[in-house]
Amino acid sequence: MKRDLVILGAQWGDEGKGKVVDLLSADFDVAVRYQGGSNAGHTVVVGGERFVLHLLPTGILHEHTIGVVAQGMVVDLELLVGELEELEGRGLRIYDRLFISDRAHLVMPYHKVLDSLFERRGKIGTTLRGIGPSYMFKYGRKGIRVCDLEDPDRTYRLIKENLEFVQDLCEKVYCENHSLNLEEMFEKIMEYYKRIRGRVTDTTQWLLKFEGSVLFEGAQGTMLDIDMGTYPFVTSSNASALGLSNGTGLPPKYFSTANFWAVSKAYATRVGEGPFPTELTDEKGEQLRERGGEYGATTGRPRRCGWLDLVVLKHAVEVNGLDGLILTKLDVLDGFEEIKVCVAYELDGQVFDHFPAGLSKLSKVAPIYKSFKGWLRNTRGARSFSELPKEALQYLQFIQDYLGVSLVMLSTGPEREEYFWLQEPAWREGEKTRKVF
Ligand code: GDP
Ligand code: IMO
Ligand code: MG
């Protein structure tokens, strides 16, 4: 029987998707990235060795896995080639296990120039990886796709037109000059293309014909989704389940038998600007940042930290139609005497538990908290339910009951092995499906 799994971020990204996808990929044949680009930073730690993947699907770290860079991604070929070579340099065979969509759009150097310029007026706090401008060009029908590179004359002409447009924008709107050179840009992109050309294919057709198991790896998180997140403080793709079909080119029906799981930290973080109702700007926030090592895997920026927000997670459950939730970084809460969880928002005397669309509302909501007694015991590296203090179990039970969705797995440290199942999935052969609570 065909079985697929979708792993999404339930919060504002950096939930630990990389760690989770890596360990789950052991059970899958194919790993697919389908939206976003090198703004993602997915960390995996194996035997003390750290890998951060930006463009390649995390699952590709397993020798048996085929990795797919699907059409909804915006691909910076220089970084893709760099990532490929870095991993091969570390002894992993990647090239012949990779497929790259011929329909994927490119991130070009002028997109990065524009990303910086746009940030000067109305800061979003982007990763400056050219993601927003690349999607702007895609939807403005000025994009260059991987398949265009097969025709160097067409590529040259598209780059030329785009550069002229960007030049005008820089000069006339921002009163700036850029130092981008057409010939150099063209030569470089053709050079990078040569390196990956043998792996370019119609990945939609390939996936439609493939009969094994596929894991779809979301990047960013539901609250950064262009439609369902805290717009305009979002990324420029559908980072929720909404992005699966357009990101892969697969019909919505394809996913009707898939499992949809999302990853959340046991608290909350966000990097960049934008609403964050449960943010802690005091020493507790600092404690979370230091204990959790909350510094961006892509940009190194300190992440904003706060208590877990169940209004946000409920939004994620609904938008993504979640079948399960994976909780990470429980161990980071080990040192807290009191742990709070947001269960509703209050605004002008009204209490509600749905995530509002409008920024002006969001900037004024006050979180309503439920307080939990901290466990003040080490849970780092716990490998079974029985190793958890009862206070931690109460915390987990409350989250599950509130959301009405099973907690399927708990991650208790960054290492691949530091986790355990709370509900064993049916596909794990030889092991009975059992539920802890
Ligand atoms: P992603 O973007 O969702 O893949 O997450 P990142 O890799 O950007 O950030 C998650 C960080 O938390 C990484 O440094 C991981 O190594 C680390 N991490 C993941 N799970 C755990 C956990 O259960 N406990 C602790 N302490 N760290 C974790
Ligand atoms: P992973 O996959 C956390 C944030 C940026 C900024 C906003 C827009 O590692 O979870 P962009 O460069 O995409 O235009 O920036 O989105 N952002 C992320 N935050 N994790 C990510 O990816 C992110 N990718 C983008 O900080 O606020
Ligand atoms: Mg990340």
Side-chain angles (χ1 to χ4, degrees):
M1 194 190 86
K2 191 158 167 52
R3 59 169 174 84
D4 294 331
L5 175 65
V6 178
I7 296 289
L8 302 158
Q11 301 167 303
W12 283 277
D14 300 330
E15 297 91 347
K17 298 177 295 294
K19 185 236 157 115
V20 164
V21 167
D22 166 66
L23 70 91
L24 290 174
S25 299
D27 291 345
F28 287 80
D29 303 315
V30 177
V32 182
R33 269 280 313 267
Y34 58 90
Q35 46 73 228
S38 63
N39 48 351
H42 296 175
T43 316
V44 176
V45 186
V46 191
E49 199 179 346
R50 188 167 179 264
F51 299 85
V52 182
L53 289 100
H54 299 286
L55 282 161
L56 292 170
T58 307
I60 207 155
L61 295 179
H62 288 271
E63 290 256 307
H64 71 276
T65 313
I66 294 170
V68 174
V69 169
Q71 66 176 37
M73 287 189 73
V74 287
V75 183
D76 185 328
L77 277 194
E78 180 177 1
L79 294 183
L80 181 68
V81 167
E83 199 163 308
L84 221 150
E85 287 179 351
E86 192 218 316
L87 290 179
E88 298 222 320
R90 291 169 79 172
L92 289 161
R93 184 181 50 85
I94 302 287
Y95 183 82
D96 53 1
R97 292 190 287 124
L98 180 66
F99 289 119
I100 301 160
S101 167
D102 51 2
R103 287 190 174 87
H105 278 247
L106 301 178
V107 174
M108 298 295 286
Y110 46 80
H111 293 134
K112 291 186 241 183
V113 167
L114 291 179
D115 207 349
S116 294
L117 287 178
F118 294 160
E119 278 290 278
R120 284 202 214 150
R121 297 189 187 181
K123 191 167 164 29
I124 300 292
T126 75
T127 58
L128 299 178
R129 296 295 182 100
I131 306 300
S134 177
Y135 279 115
M136 273 173 75
F137 276 48
K138 169 177 175 172
Y139 287 101
R141 292 157 296 181
K142 289 183 184 304
I144 306 180
R145 296 186 296 167
V146 172
C147 55
D148 292 320
L149 299 172
E150 248 329 275
D151 180 346
D153 293 340
R154 176 176 165 77
T155 303
Y156 186 87
R157 184 171 51 76
L158 289 174
I159 298 179
K160 185 166 182 294
E161 283 170 14
N162 282 345
L163 257 186
E164 283 164 3
F165 173 71
V166 171
Q167 180 74 36
D168 271 356
L169 205 61
C170 288
E171 279 175 17
K172 295 181 181 149
V173 179
Y174 290 92
C175 304
E176 288 258 345
N177 254 316
H178 64 70
S179 56
L180 299 169
N181 179 282
L182 170 63
E183 307 299 329
E184 200 183 308
M185 199 182 299
F186 172 70
E187 273 163 33
K188 274 193 173 166
I189 198 81
M190 294 316 290
E191 180 55 39
Y192 296 131
Y193 178 54
K194 247 193 253 161
R195 315 271 277 280
I196 50 114
R197 185 183 193 168
R199 307 311 302 163
V200 173
T201 193
D202 182 332
T203 52
T204 303
Q205 279 299 316
W206 188 87
L207 282 166
L208 282 171
K209 290 190 185 115
F210 185 74
E211 287 183 353
S213 55
V214 186
L215 190 157
F216 295 88
E217 173 180 354
Q220 291 83 52
T222 306
M223 302 315 288
L224 290 172
D225 182 282
I226 184 83
D227 291 300
M228 306 313 291
T230 48
Y231 188 89
F233 298 99
V234 291
T235 192
S236 298
S237 66
N238 282 115
S240 71
L242 301 188
L244 274 164
S245 215
N246 68 37
T248 56
L250 297 168
K253 251 189 205 164
Y254 177 99
F255 299 96
S256 59
T257 55
N259 261 308
F260 285 76
W261 290 352
V263 185
S264 166
K265 283 176 186 165
Y267 50 99
T269 66
R270 147 158 233 174
V271 58
E273 309 297 311
F276 183 2
T278 61
E279 180 172 13
L280 293 166
T281 48
D282 56 6
E283 73 284 356
K284 287 214 168 65
E286 189 59 36
Q287 202 183 340
L288 281 171
R289 181 159 40 253
E290 291 315 312
R291 282 191 59 87
E294 296 296 355
Y295 295 89
T298 298
T299 58
R301 289 178 290 175
R303 295 175 182 149
R304 299 156 62 192
C305 299
W307 297 123
L308 187 68
D309 187 339
L310 292 180
V311 178
V312 161
L313 289 194
K314 187 167 156 277
H315 183 66
V317 168
E318 288 169 356
V319 168
N320 299 309
L322 294 184
D323 302 303
L325 190 74
I326 295 170
L327 214 66
T328 61
K329 303 190 97 162
L330 185 78
D331 53 297
V332 174
L333 296 180
D334 287 352
F336 287 83
E337 273 180 23
E338 183 193 25
I339 296 164
K340 290 186 181 175
V341 180
C342 171
V343 292
Y345 296 154
E346 199 238 293
L347 178 64
D348 299 331
Q350 281 201 316
V351 174
F352 53 96
D353 65 358
H354 68 273
F355 199 84
L359 271 196
S360 30
K361 232 183 178 184
L362 267 174
S363 62
K364 285 186 277 182
V365 297
I368 297 178
Y369 287 113
K370 178 172 168 60
S371 174
F372 287 83
K373 194 164 167 281
W375 41 92
L376 297 172
R377 260 176 58 194
N378 183 31
T379 63
R380 170 80 191 259
R383 299 290 310 275
S384 79
F385 186 67
S386 57
E387 289 174 55
L388 294 186
K390 75 170 188 318
E391 292 85 355
L393 295 178
Q394 279 162 0
Y395 186 65
L396 299 178
Q397 184 79 58
F398 182 80
I399 295 168
Q400 178 169 282
D401 292 347
Y402 181 102
L403 296 173
V405 165
S406 294
L407 286 183
V408 286
M409 178 191 279
L410 192 69
S411 168
T412 55
E415 280 279 347
R416 188 182 265 174
E417 312 299 329
E418 292 176 313
Y419 78 98
F420 60 91
W421 291 105
L422 290 164
Q423 188 176 335
E424 201 95 41
W427 71 69
R428 290 179 67 82
E429 275 169 51
E431 306 195 38
K432 277 201 202 100
T433 302
R434 62 193 160 79
K435 219 172 159 166
V436 173
F437 59 56

